[in-house]
Amino acid sequence: MALLRARSDMLITAKERRLTLSCMLNMSAAFHCVDHSILLRHLQVRVGITGVVLDCITSFLTDRTQQVTYNSQLSVMQTVLCGVPRGSVIGPLLYVLYTAGLSEVIMRHGLNVHQYADDTHLYLSVLSVCRTGYYQLRQLRPLVRCLSKDAAKILIQAFINTRLDYCNSLYFGIADVVMSRLQSVQNAATRLITGVRQCEHITPALHQLH
């Protein structure tokens, strides 16, 4: 279902002559990093699991041990303090519930996301990033005029640069014409901070800010 949704979104974007950037994340190692106390609290507070069901999950996670075999030698038995068992039926489900908040964070930054166990698919439209950036600049313009340069830089960094930089690895290898659209947003933000006019070169101001 997730693949069909992603394919549909990309076809719609292509029909509108927009570019979609896609990134596939395999976070299989994260299975071993799940904090049991955080997971159990999350299940109780956010998911609403309590009583006998929560007790069963707690029993499933706690008092587990592990040891490693190397060169026909066994290591000392160690208590497992984090992670969910892989290969079990409930393990992947607990991991999905543990990382449920990840999609909310990603979507707040304007990206689309689909998750299936430890596989996470991120994709975004460059045009939507640019539109959001220009919208934020229009909203910030009256406020920036009342601030000092340092305060304006902090504000632009929070609302514009963080959006452009988020998952910027997706921009690798994209066409220059597409990259120029993203650069134009950064140029506009720099002009807003420095007061450089449209008829003046923006490169010196960019170097000054960085």
Side-chain angles (χ1 to χ4, degrees), residues 115-159:
Q115 293 175 274
Y116 182 78
D118 56 353
D119 293 322
T120 302
H121 180 201
L122 309 178
Y123 59 99
L124 78 160
S125 166
V126 174
L127 184 58
S128 66
V129 174
C130 296
R131 283 177 175 172
T132 304
Y134 284 125
Y135 172 79
Q136 293 285 1
L137 287 173
R138 288 194 297 271
Q139 299 300 311
L140 294 174
R141 187 177 299 278
L143 183 60
V144 167
R145 290 172 177 170
C146 304
L147 300 176
S148 66
K149 184 176 180 179
D150 288 339
K153 286 170 61 177
I154 294 174
L155 198 63
I156 294 299
Q157 175 66 28
F159 284 92

Side-chain angles (χ1 to χ4, degrees), residues 43-56:
L43 293 176
Q44 185 175 11
V45 175
R46 295 198 60 179
V47 184
I49 296 177
T50 57
V52 177
V53 177
L54 185 64
D55 292 339
C56 289

Side-chain angles (χ1 to χ4, degrees), residues 21-169:
L21 303 179
S22 177
C23 178
M24 306 293 290
L25 306 178
N26 185 338
M27 300 187 291
S28 56
F31 262 86
H32 308 296
C33 302
V34 174
D35 186 290
H36 292 168
S37 60
I38 295 176
L39 171 60
L40 293 171
R41 185 168 63 251
H42 180 83
L43 293 176
Q44 185 175 11
V45 175
R46 295 198 60 179
V47 184
I49 296 177
T50 57
V52 177
V53 177
L54 185 64
D55 292 339
C56 289
I57 296 175
T58 302
S59 175
F60 175 75
L61 293 173
T62 55
D63 296 327
R64 287 182 171 272
T65 57
Q66 67 179 6
Q67 60 183 165
V68 178
T69 302
Y70 179 74
N71 236 359
S72 301
Q73 298 293 322
L74 280 175
S75 67
V76 178
M77 192 79 71
Q78 296 289 338
T79 302
V80 178
L81 301 177
C82 59
V84 291
R86 304 196 66 177
S88 62
V89 175
I90 195 173
L93 177 60
L94 292 176
Y95 176 81
V96 169
L97 293 173
Y98 182 78
T99 59
L102 177 63
S103 61
E104 299 174 6
V105 175
I106 293 173
M107 293 177 70
R108 280 204 303 267
H109 286 78
L111 278 77
N112 296 304
V113 58
H114 292 295
Q115 293 175 274
Y116 182 78
D118 56 353
D119 293 322
T120 302
H121 180 201
L122 309 178
Y123 59 99
L124 78 160
S125 166
V126 174
L127 184 58
S128 66
V129 174
C130 296
R131 283 177 175 172
T132 304
Y134 284 125
Y135 172 79
Q136 293 285 1
L137 287 173
R138 288 194 297 271
Q139 299 300 311
L140 294 174
R141 187 177 299 278
L143 183 60
V144 167
R145 290 172 177 170
C146 304
L147 300 176
S148 66
K149 184 176 180 179
D150 288 339
K153 286 170 61 177
I154 294 174
L155 198 63
I156 294 299
Q157 175 66 28
F159 284 92
I160 305 300
N161 291 351
T162 53
R163 187 175 296 277
L164 294 175
D165 290 340
Y166 189 74
C167 287
N168 56 15
S169 60

